[in-house]
Amino acid sequence: MKKFTILASVALVMFLQSCGSSKQVATAPINVSQNQVQQDIEVALNPCEEYAFKAPSQRAAGTGVHFKETTAENLAQLNARTNLAKALQQCVQAATKNYADGKELFAADGESSSYVTDQSAGVADREAGWAKELIKGAPVVMKRKYKTPDNQWRIYVCVEYQESVAEMAAKITKVFNEKLTQEQKARIDFNEQKFKQEMQEAMGDYKGVTEQ
């Protein structure tokens, strides 16, 4: 009888312990799942960035941060013009590639086909400088100023090349026509009207600056 009482007591203790541990296990996943719930935070575009996004081949935004207001604004304008130059450069690269691909279809053999593409790629090396020349006078069309918690100026600007896509395409084509030598034009069979059409289409299709 004494042994039975001892065994019964031990069994009761073990049962109570198992019940207690099972309750803890049951509640643990609820606490973990609550701690792991996360929500994405939407970051709105600054008005200058949003305005530039509506016409990415003609506008670009930039930002500058500095304790001096004039320095912050100069940095913002520099960044915006750099972004606009990159946009134009990528449009020119797309037009050049499409032009070269079109010429490949009519190349007589593989050697001449490759030569057309190589010549077009060689021209692309000078595109960055030409793009910067074209957007030198692009004015600031929007500006927003903010003060940071550490009392610096954060300034956003949007610059815009104010001619139409067709006018820009014509001007870029004119630059190509002036910069290419007669030999280069002959080698790639340069057609001004065809290239202007490719340039206009590339600018119309352009969605924003991509990594090089």
Side-chain angles (χ1 to χ4, degrees), residues 120-144:
S120 298
V123 172
D125 293 338
R126 286 163 274 181
E127 291 162 359
W130 299 352
K132 287 179 181 178
E133 287 181 24
L134 285 168
I135 56 92
K136 269 183 182 178
V140 174
V141 292
M142 184 179 289
K143 184 192 304 181
R144 292 291 185 273

Side-chain angles (χ1 to χ4, degrees), residues 5 16 33 40 47-48 54 57 65 67 78 82 135 156 186 190 209:
T5 303
L16 291 174
S33 63
D40 291 336
C48 293
K54 292 177 180 179
S57 66
V65 180
F67 287 104
L78 176 63
T82 298
I135 56 92
Y156 292 83
F190 183 74
V209 174

Side-chain angles (χ1 to χ4, degrees), residues 165-184:
V165 169
E167 289 171 325
M168 289 176 71
K171 187 167 285 189
I172 292 170
T173 302
K174 183 180 177 182
V175 171
F176 255 71
N177 197 33
E178 291 173 350
K179 298 291 185 181
L180 291 175
T181 66
Q182 290 300 321
E183 182 184 1
Q184 287 172 325

Side-chain angles (χ1 to χ4, degrees), residues 70-141:
T70 54
T71 302
E73 185 165 343
N74 288 338
L75 288 171
Q77 290 191 29
L78 176 63
N79 289 333
R81 293 182 195 285
T82 298
N83 289 335
L84 184 55
K86 286 180 180 178
L88 285 181
Q89 183 182 357
Q90 291 188 2
C91 288
V92 171
Q93 288 173 349
T96 302
K97 183 180 184 302
N98 291 339
Y99 184 85
D101 289 347
K103 291 299 178 184
E104 283 186 311
L105 296 177
F106 301 102
D109 52 49
E111 183 179 352
S112 57
S113 173
S114 299
Y115 190 73
V116 168
T117 307
D118 291 344
Q119 288 298 305
S120 298
V123 172
D125 293 338
R126 286 163 274 181
E127 291 162 359
W130 299 352
K132 287 179 181 178
E133 287 181 24
L134 285 168
I135 56 92
K136 269 183 182 178
V140 174
V141 292

Side-chain angles (χ1 to χ4, degrees), residues 39-45:
Q39 302 237 343
D40 291 336
I41 299 174
E42 183 178 359
V43 179
L45 290 175

Side-chain angles (χ1 to χ4, degrees), residues 14-65:
M14 291 179 67
F15 175 76
L16 291 174
Q17 286 179 342
S18 65
C19 288
S21 62
S22 64
K23 288 181 181 179
Q24 291 174 353
V25 171
T27 56
I30 297 175
N31 293 333
V32 171
S33 63
Q34 288 175 347
N35 291 335
Q36 289 179 343
V37 172
Q38 295 181 357
Q39 302 237 343
D40 291 336
I41 299 174
E42 183 178 359
V43 179
L45 290 175
N46 178 273
C48 293
E49 296 170 323
E50 188 173 358
Y51 187 62
F53 186 72
K54 292 177 180 179
S57 66
Q58 294 170 275
R59 303 177 192 147
T63 181
V65 180

